[in-house]
Amino acid sequence: MAAASTTLAVASCGTGAGDTSDAKDSPRIGLLLPDATTARWEAQDRPLLEKRIRELCDDCRVEHANARGDVAIQQEQMESLITEGVDAILLVPVDARSLAASVRKAHAAGVPVISYDRLAEGPISGYVSFDGEEVGRLQGRALLKAMGDKAHGGRIVMMNGDPADPNAVAFKRGALSVLKGKVEIAKAYDTLQWRPEVANMNMSGALSALGAGNIDGVYAANDGLAAGSITALKANKVHPLPPVTGQDAELAAVRRIVAGDQYETVYKPFGPEAAAGGAMAVAAVRGAPLDRVATGTVRTSEGAAVPAVRLTPMSVTVADIKHVLVEDGAYTVRQICTPQLAAACARAGLT
């Protein structure tokens, strides 16, 4: 089973590159994604990265694999790419610390590793992501605003992400910088592999411990955790629902916001992130300086300063959907507004 999961899918980024006899000499970029639980990786990042790489390097080949949340599988995928002699690797680590040895092995083999979205440990060559602490601050501020009078002394439940993900640590740190001292954090959970069903189970436990009417807000680190939390709240007949935050602006989450079930999400435009990640990968395979793409630097776990692109996230509530998500081309009104949401969409000005 593990062997099947480590199989690399090859996407030719050139015209007919997969059919030519010298395809094996084309630049090869490995793209390793962490899981299929979070919709963005396969639905947004992968096609956008492949598109950007194709625009910049018409004979490049992308070799893609998804670890399905399994650290051992991702380690095997890294080993396979290094052994096959790819020219660069775009890596979203399942577990940054556990992948450090693989990153060191790639570095020793002369294969540059671009850490994408999550900061991998080890001697990476570049980094592209959003400001994780700012994501948490945006979520925390939105939750306090939604809580109104209960923003001082109210009780909240925190559904944090996977502690093995350095982004989750940054989101939590940013949120706590806003929430601490203002609300009571009645229950807090870390969610392994960002699994919505775990958030659902944890929220059910929080409701049993605290009582259905004693939760004034829910900090959910992403939209999947928001979905799991909301399902548990509804199953326990909580009405009205407390405000719930999120992240990633998944279509299902945007619809929940329109319906009034979720209060907020954080929009991280995947286009600019993928554009920067693809540009770094192409620069790496060509041996060009990555600082030509970068807007700054980041310190690696080994203390080195490497080229980095850090992008700015945006908080989105129902009032922001049209001028942020629709106008940016993330979704059309038709995609958001199902027949069941017609009345809610009209109230939100989504017509």
Side-chain angles (χ1 to χ4, degrees), residues 16-301:
D19 301 323
T20 62
S21 58
D22 62 347
K24 63 180 181 297
D25 298 322
S26 299
R28 296 159 64 207
I29 297 169
L31 171 59
L32 298 184
L33 299 177
D35 61 67
T37 303
T38 303
R40 61 168 288 190
W41 302 124
E42 296 292 347
Q44 300 280 353
D45 295 88
R46 180 186 172 189
L48 288 168
L49 282 164
E50 290 177 348
K51 178 175 181 287
R52 182 56 173 161
I53 290 167
R54 183 168 59 248
E55 290 170 348
L56 296 174
C57 179
D58 63 5
D59 64 336
C60 280
R61 294 194 302 160
V62 176
E63 302 192 10
H64 154 266
N66 192 306
R68 305 282 171 181
D70 191 310
V71 173
I73 287 176
Q74 192 167 65
Q75 288 169 331
E76 289 179 32
Q77 291 165 348
M78 282 283 285
E79 292 279 348
S80 178
L81 289 172
I82 295 165
T83 300
E84 292 174 12
V86 296
D87 299 288
I89 297 173
L90 274 164
L91 171 67
V92 189
V94 173
D95 182 324
R97 183 169 297 175
S98 297
L99 266 294
S102 298
V103 173
R104 284 192 286 271
K105 189 170 287 189
H107 181 73
V111 181
V113 175
I114 311 301
S115 189
Y116 183 80
D117 199 74
R118 299 176 181 176
L119 185 59
E121 294 191 10
I124 60 172
S125 297
Y127 176 57
V128 176
S129 189
F130 286 83
D131 184 334
E133 289 196 28
E134 179 62 11
V135 169
R137 288 190 290 268
L138 289 173
Q139 293 169 320
R141 291 178 195 133
L143 186 59
L144 291 179
K145 181 177 180 180
M147 289 173 67
D149 293 341
K150 295 180 180 178
H152 297 280
R155 306 176 93 190
I156 72 165
V157 173
M158 290 193 77
M159 292 292 174
N160 300 304
D162 189 336
D165 175 355
N167 279 354
V169 177
F171 304 150
K172 182 178 179 179
R173 187 163 54 238
L176 287 174
S177 73
V178 173
L179 297 171
K180 258 191 168 178
K182 294 184 179 176
V183 294
E184 177 191 346
I185 300 170
K187 290 285 182 182
Y189 303 92
D190 290 332
T191 314
L192 295 179
Q193 297 184 13
W194 292 91
R195 300 183 78 85
E197 63 270 26
V198 175
N200 180 276
M201 179 183 67
N202 287 337
M203 180 56 73
S204 296
L207 287 163
S208 296
L210 303 173
N214 294 318
I215 297 174
D216 302 310
V218 178
Y219 168 83
N222 78 353
D223 291 333
L225 303 188
S229 299
I230 290 166
T231 301
L233 290 164
K234 287 187 169 185
N236 284 271
K237 314 293 187 200
V238 176
H239 183 79
L241 290 172
V244 181
T245 65
Q247 179 185 182
D248 290 334
E250 293 180 2
L251 180 56
V254 177
R255 289 171 176 164
R256 286 193 299 271
I257 292 171
V258 172
D261 292 342
Q262 183 172 325
Y263 177 70
E264 181 254 15
T265 189
V266 172
Y267 176 49
K268 301 185 298 186
F270 302 126
E273 185 180 23
M280 268 204 185
V282 171
V285 301
R286 289 176 172 164
L290 300 192
D291 54 13
R292 293 181 184 175
V293 178
T295 56
T297 61
V298 69
R299 288 281 172 188
T300 69
S301 60

